[in-house]
Amino acid sequence: MKVTVFGVGYVGLVQAAVLADVGHNVCCVDVDTKKIEGLKKGDIPIFEPGLSELVLNNYEKERLFFTTDATIGVEHAELQFIAVGTPPDEDGSADLQYVLAVAGKIAGHMNGRKIVINKSTVPVGTADKVRAHMTTILRQRELDVPLHVASNPEFLKEGSALDDCMRPERIIVGTDSEEVEEVIRELYEPFSRNRDKIMVMDVRSAEFTKYAANCLLATKISFMNELSNLAERMGVDIEQVRRGIGSDSRIGYQFIYPGCGFGGSCFPKDVRALERSASEIGYEAKILQAVESVNYKQKEKLFEHLCTFYKNEISGKTIALWGLAFKPNTDDMREASSRVLIEALWAAGAKVQAYDPEAMEEAQRIYGTRDDFTLMGTKEAALHGADALVIVTEWKSFRVPDFQKLHQELRDKVIFDGRNLYEPARVEAMGLAYYGIGRGRSIQI
Ligand SMILES: NC(=O)c1ccc[n+]([C@@H]2O[C@H](COP(=O)([O-])OP(=O)(O)OC[C@H]3O[C@@H](n4cnc5c(N)ncnc54)[C@H](O)[C@@H]3O)[C@@H](O)[C@H]2O)c1
């Protein structure tokens, strides 16, 4: 089948490559000329395990191609996916300008039936807005052609995006048209072979399902972080509690890791956007407000621990930082906890020596060159001349460090662990002080 995908970001590029890989013919359109020119030369703009090979292979086989020309994209296929960003507006609501810009382009160039499928995370009612916007343009063009607008929210996780798209747990489709349902079923048939993954519902419920999923997962994390703050004050080790409750099959082990807060391009903005949608209809979403405010505070946790340890005398310290990305296996630093810590350290007069397996270029792009920020080539190099080590992202390569080397290198012999990677007793036995999140006997607040 022929498909066009507008927006070649984490969602659009992965989805396009995966669709091409099962044999569909996919045209990718983006307004970012640099990105599109790079892709044509084989430069993949993001890090996602396996993505580079998949894109290059399908590009070579001419099942995947890239353009900045919306006309080509609109002409290419009846199925038009929208996968552009929906960043938070100033008031926290989802900014729909990019979604509506794409809808406008499609309406401005289409000459026959189109099925517009929205993959971006958008508030309830967006499909109606897209349809109304497109209908106005079609009327101005005096064109009467069939138009369908469906919702197909994306559930991929950065870091395992390919696998999530190749083997989705469910494919949510919001449409009230049997015709559209049939076309979308055909498109996704290769991903639904072992069982029917497709769940068809009305458009508004599909739009809401995406927010419901992300907000529930964010709630689990903030809930656990709240408990970790209690644990810290009550002499409880939250890691033992985590194991204790995770073994309950009604609770499960996923998304109950205490840590230094959640970031990324989705959870923070989606919690805020749903909270905003609620307030627009006069409902105070108290749980969502709490999830957000607990997370906001949690991102300050590591800095608070450092301040307590150093009795607020942080100026002049050199802090080694392991992990810049908002989570492992991605180079994405949007709303990353590392940024809150780095900026607080700078404001307090400290220097940061950072290492991340994938997000160094992104950090360079965000912060540029500064005297108080050095990106180091290895995790060991980040320790040279540092006073303390802080771990912000739980990359696998940080899990089994050489504690003897840490002891030799770190002037103040102290580790602040924002992801509870180590057993406190084991680290302390190596002569290092260790402060995790909610480990009970940790720092006195
Ligand atoms: N990143 C994730 O893990 C994830 C997962 C599920 C859902 N989502 C949702 O999917 C959407 C996209 O997220 P993302 O992380 O892929 O965003 P992204 O910022 O990585 O990519 C968006 C792309 O859209 C392009 N774009 C903007 N305006 C355009 C236009 N008019 N025409 C063509 N291209 C245009 C941008 O240049 C950019 O390349 C968001 O709504 C997000 O909430 C993201």
Side-chain angles (χ1 to χ4, degrees), residues 99-116:
V99 170
L100 293 174
V102 174
K105 287 273 184 217
I106 301 170
H109 297 299
M110 64 193 267
N111 287 310
R113 180 176 102 137
K114 295 288 170 198
I115 300 172
V116 176

Side-chain angles (χ1 to χ4, degrees), residues 399-413:
R399 290 198 189 163
V400 193
D402 179 346
F403 287 112
Q404 241 164 6
K405 182 149 180 73
L406 290 178
H407 187 268
Q408 272 165 21
E409 295 274 3
L410 296 173
R411 271 199 287 256
D412 295 329
K413 320 272 174 240

Side-chain angles (χ1 to χ4, degrees), residues 7 9-11 30 35 84 86 120-121 154 158 266 269 334:
Y10 285 87
V11 168
D30 203 292
K35 217 180 234 189
V84 296
T86 46
S120 300
T121 303
E154 181 53 60
E158 284 177 29
C266 293
K269 90 169 163 57
R334 288 179 282 186

Side-chain angles (χ1 to χ4, degrees), residues 225 228-229 232-233 259-261 295-308 340-341 416 418 436-438 443 445:
N225 282 335
S228 76
N229 290 326
E232 208 156 81
R233 289 160 172 84
C260 54
N295 192 51
Y296 184 85
K297 283 292 296 164
Q298 201 67 16
K299 285 180 165 177
E300 296 172 343
K301 190 98 249 165
L302 286 168
F303 184 66
E304 274 171 26
H305 280 181
L306 277 143
C307 285
T308 311
V340 176
L341 174 65
F416 299 90
I437 303 285
I443 212 148
I445 300 168

Side-chain angles (χ1 to χ4, degrees), residues 56-190:
L56 296 179
N57 186 25
N58 284 287
Y59 183 62
E60 262 171 31
K61 301 214 165 96
E62 296 180 357
R63 288 196 293 252
L64 189 61
F65 65 99
F66 304 99
T67 179
T68 50
D69 188 343
T71 338
I72 296 177
V74 176
E75 259 175 35
H76 177 74
E78 189 178 69
L79 283 176
Q80 303 272 311
F81 275 96
I82 302 181
V84 296
T86 46
D89 223 333
E90 272 166 29
D91 64 357
S93 59
D95 182 351
L96 295 178
Q97 64 165 308
Y98 306 104
V99 170
L100 293 174
V102 174
K105 287 273 184 217
I106 301 170
H109 297 299
M110 64 193 267
N111 287 310
R113 180 176 102 137
K114 295 288 170 198
I115 300 172
V116 176
I117 307 174
N118 188 29
K119 258 207 171 296
S120 300
T121 303
V122 291
V124 170
T126 300
D128 297 337
K129 279 190 190 155
V130 165
R131 190 181 301 103
H133 182 56
M134 293 183 73
T135 307
T136 308
I137 296 171
L138 290 174
R139 266 201 212 111
Q140 284 162 359
R141 292 180 62 207
E142 295 179 1
L143 201 65
D144 185 16
V145 285
L147 167 67
H148 299 279
V149 182
S151 165
N152 172 217
E154 181 53 60
F155 294 92
L156 65 78
K157 301 180 285 299
E158 284 177 29
S160 59
L162 249 57
D163 206 43
D164 293 341
C165 283
M166 289 282 191
R167 279 172 281 277
E169 286 179 327
R170 77 303 210 186
I171 299 167
I172 303 284
V173 176
T175 180
D176 46 19
S177 154
E178 276 177 24
E179 247 176 279
V180 172
E181 179 185 332
E182 212 171 287
V183 176
I184 298 181
R185 276 190 185 281
E186 195 184 333
L187 179 81
Y188 284 126
E189 200 271 332

Side-chain angles (χ1 to χ4, degrees), residues 94 121-124 207-216 270 273-274:
T121 303
V122 291
V124 170
E207 289 171 334
F208 198 80
T209 300
K210 174 66 191 173
Y211 283 101
N214 275 2
C215 291
L216 181 57
D270 293 349
L274 187 56

Side-chain angles (χ1 to χ4, degrees), residues 215-234:
C215 291
L216 181 57
L217 295 172
T219 303
K220 285 183 86 174
I221 300 173
S222 272
F223 177 79
M224 209 55 192
N225 282 335
E226 181 136 283
L227 294 194
S228 76
N229 290 326
L230 291 178
E232 208 156 81
R233 289 160 172 84
M234 289 176 167

